[in-house]
Amino acid sequence: MSESVLRDLRPDVNAAQCPSRPILEHVTSRWGVLVLAALLDGSYRFSELRRLIGGVSEKMLAQTLQTLERDGFVHREAQPVIPPRVDYSLTEFGREAAQQVWELARWSERSVDKVLAARAAYDEAKTS
């Protein structure tokens, strides 16, 4: 299906070909959420982001930043200095998305005890 045809369809995230699906995937991916949340605090260099987001590889961070930049959520600014300096920040559109996913991330932090208790109860019921 061409992009122009997809734009004419009413967005429905449950529809297999809906263009909202990859957008949802990008902003709710493991690294997408963490990059967007980190950038809520301001502009960061690549190495700063990598240190801030524990466990992300260089490759995954680079791919995530590129995807979020392409989608219009992240702004990449290369400074003409030596050594080269590249800063990443949120666009206004990106700030809106980041605030939404950050709320979900905070909710998951608040829910850890309930989830762990539910898992333990499930596991106990399965073994009895």
Side-chain angles (χ1 to χ4, degrees):
M1 214 179 268
S2 75
E3 220 172 288
S4 62
V5 171
L6 288 174
R7 271 185 289 214
D8 294 337
L9 299 175
R10 186 177 144 260
D12 178 0
V13 76
N14 291 315
Q17 297 300 316
C18 184
S20 66
R21 276 196 178 182
I23 298 166
L24 182 63
E25 183 181 328
H26 297 163
V27 299
T28 61
S29 71
R30 173 187 193 175
W31 304 120
V33 168
L34 297 175
V35 166
L36 290 170
L39 292 174
L40 271 171
D41 290 336
S43 178
Y44 288 99
R45 294 172 72 175
F46 185 91
S47 58
E48 292 171 325
L49 275 172
R50 185 144 185 254
R51 279 192 300 275
L52 189 62
I53 302 169
V56 67
S57 68
E58 269 188 49
K59 179 183 176 184
M60 285 310 302
L61 181 56
Q63 286 177 353
T64 301
L65 285 165
Q66 186 176 32
T67 298
L68 294 173
E69 180 185 5
R70 182 171 184 251
D71 286 348
F73 299 120
V74 169
H75 174 71
R76 179 184 185 274
E77 186 172 351
Q79 306 289 332
V81 296
I82 297 175
R85 178 186 172 111
V86 178
D87 292 297
Y88 296 91
S89 60
L90 293 174
T91 62
E92 281 304 312
F93 185 49
R95 181 164 293 285
E96 182 182 340
Q99 289 168 338
Q100 297 297 316
V101 297
W102 186 232
E103 284 303 315
L104 179 59
R106 297 304 264 172
W107 173 85
S108 68
E109 290 173 338
R110 291 189 306 270
S111 301
V112 167
D113 290 341
K114 289 179 184 177
V115 171
L116 293 178
R119 287 179 184 171
Y122 178 89
D123 294 346
E124 177 65 27
K126 285 292 187 185
T127 59
S128 341

